Amino acid sequence: MQPSTRMRWASRTQFFASGFIFATWGVHIPTVKAHYGVTEAELGLALLAAGTGALLGLTQASRWIGRHGARATASVCGAVYALLLAGLVVMPGYVALLGLLAAFGIVTSVFDVAINSEAAELELRSGTPLMSGMHGMFSLGGMAGAATGSAALAAGVAAQSHLVLVASAMAAAIVLAARGMLPRESTTFAAADSKFRLPRGTLVVLGVLAALGLIAEGAIYDWSVLYLKQELGSPQQQAALAYASFSAAMAATRFCGDAMRARFTPPVLLRASALLAAASMTLVLLSNAPWHALAGFAGVGAGFANVVPILFAASARVPGVEPARGIAAVSAAAYLGFMAGPPVIGFLAEISSLTAALYVVVVFAVALAASARWAAPD
């Protein structure tokens, strides 16, 4: 079955909704902290509960997708993912919040694998690169979710009202979009041999590369604003532009990524992207001018934009491995990297300086460039 325009837009809608939900949760992390009166350490444990749930979900994702199909899995897990937002500030206590966030992590990761598997299937069937554009929709959804969340808070909208509104809208969008996804009987997902296994061979390398990319990417998400404020002495409003420039460049580049993937081989594009990220981060760390640093952060965003789409697409093409299982294995490593990144940078900053710690981004980007040949497993 050749993918239709409706199928492509169904997949894009799922990615947009995923980014919107993720950003809405991010906007309300301070709300959750204040509502339950938790310390930073307790908040960190709550975030760890979500991460642990995500890893647990990844061990079951390929099995569920193989048994029920990507469409049904995305519809159910995506809707639950959205609706759990409505419970963030109405749980009876901190322990109940931990349970909710663990469930949130489980359905988040399974939903991610389902929609990435669908995107990989559409890409294989059409013979046209699509994955970068899908992840561009995730970035666009994240920007829209952050912007609307900020606007709602500024307008004095109650947190619970905002969360219920977003939960309802995104759940409806996900379920309706799922109706346009590929039917189960026309996909290559198989229930047999779909159990999660520790990655081997090529999947190990792709998983390590994904982890390196996500550690570096997570470092920018969590530390770029503080770097501009603390290391370069920028005022708060200017420092906030660090994350904005990084995210905007990443989103824009992802929308151009499919055209670049059609023109260049995955190893060539991955190598060039990683070298751009390394050079841009070096500019950030060597510059004393905030505006030069902002330009550098934009370059880092452009450089890392296509790393995950390239590696996820590669994991879906490993010979002898079901696409859902390959993506689940590489996603597990990527999640570990994303969770490990912030504390790794924080530990290194504690024993040296934030500037020195952020050279990890340069080192990992160079490692990605050096290992780019693994992006073409077939």
Side-chain angles (χ1 to χ4, degrees):
M1 177 186 293
Q2 192 70 11
S4 65
T5 300
R6 182 190 179 194
M7 292 174 182
R8 296 180 184 184
W9 275 106
S11 192
R12 291 179 182 121
T13 301
Q14 302 279 30
F15 275 89
F16 179 89
S18 181
F20 200 106
I21 296 166
F22 184 78
T24 302
W25 155 235
V27 165
H28 283 287
I29 286 177
T31 307
V32 169
K33 182 177 184 296
H35 178 79
Y36 293 97
V38 297
T39 65
E40 281 76 9
E42 289 170 327
L43 179 61
L45 181 61
L47 296 175
L48 181 60
T52 303
L55 290 175
L56 178 61
L58 288 170
T59 66
Q60 302 300 317
S62 56
R63 175 185 296 176
W64 292 351
I65 294 168
R67 181 176 300 169
H68 304 292
R71 179 163 68 178
T73 304
S75 180
V76 173
C77 290
V80 175
Y81 173 34
L83 293 174
L84 285 176
L85 279 178
L88 283 175
V89 293
V90 295
M91 302 307 291
Y94 175 69
V95 174
L97 174 67
L98 293 180
L100 180 140
L101 289 176
F104 189 78
I106 290 172
V107 293
T108 299
S109 60
V110 177
F111 179 59
D112 282 349
V113 173
I115 62 177
N116 275 286
S117 298
E118 173 81 0
E121 183 82 4
L122 293 175
E123 185 171 281
L124 288 170
R125 288 175 177 272
S126 66
T128 304
L130 298 172
M131 189 70 80
S132 293
M134 298 299 180
H135 283 262
M137 291 299 291
F138 177 88
S139 297
L140 186 62
M143 294 172 64
T148 55
S150 177
L153 292 174
V157 177
Q160 181 61 13
S161 298
H162 177 239
L163 289 168
V164 168
L165 180 61
V166 171
S168 303
M170 291 301 107
I174 287 168
V175 171
L176 289 174
R179 297 172 63 183
M181 295 171 67
L182 284 163
R184 180 188 174 193
E185 60 271 14
S186 68
T187 68
T188 59
F189 308 133
D193 196 33
S194 60
K195 294 181 180 179
F196 179 84
R197 295 182 177 87
L198 290 175
R200 298 180 180 178
T202 301
L203 285 178
V204 172
V205 180
L206 293 175
V208 170
L209 295 180
L212 294 181
L214 268 280
I215 288 174
E217 186 177 324
I220 303 302
Y221 280 126
D222 288 287
W223 297 102
S224 60
V225 175
L226 183 62
Y227 173 81
L228 228 64
K229 186 174 186 296
Q230 177 178 292
E231 305 293 295
L232 299 187
S234 300
Q236 182 69 34
Q237 61 270 27
Q238 185 184 53
L241 295 177
Y243 175 81
S245 63
F246 173 81
S247 297
M250 175 170 279
T253 305
R254 280 179 167 170
F255 283 121
C256 300
D258 290 325
M260 291 188 285
R261 289 177 61 217
R263 183 171 182 179
F264 303 105
T265 64
V268 168
L269 184 56
L270 180 59
R271 185 175 296 111
S273 297
L275 290 175
L276 172 61
S280 299
M281 195 65 202
T282 302
L283 170 65
V284 169
L285 297 172
L286 293 180
S287 175
N288 291 321
W291 291 109
H292 291 169
L294 289 174
F297 280 126
V300 176
F304 281 122
N306 286 309
V307 169
V308 168
I310 290 171
L311 295 176
F312 275 21
S315 70
R317 299 195 308 270
V318 175
V321 178
E322 288 293 326
R325 187 157 65 86
I327 290 173
V330 172
S331 294
Y335 268 94
L336 282 173
F338 198 73
M339 289 192 297
V344 166
I345 298 297
F347 173 75
L348 294 176
E350 184 71 22
I351 63 176
S352 56
S353 68
L354 183 55
T355 298
L358 286 173
Y359 272 102
V360 165
V361 176
V362 179
V363 173
F364 286 177
V366 171
L368 282 167
S371 306
R373 67 183 182 85
W374 290 95
D378 53 359

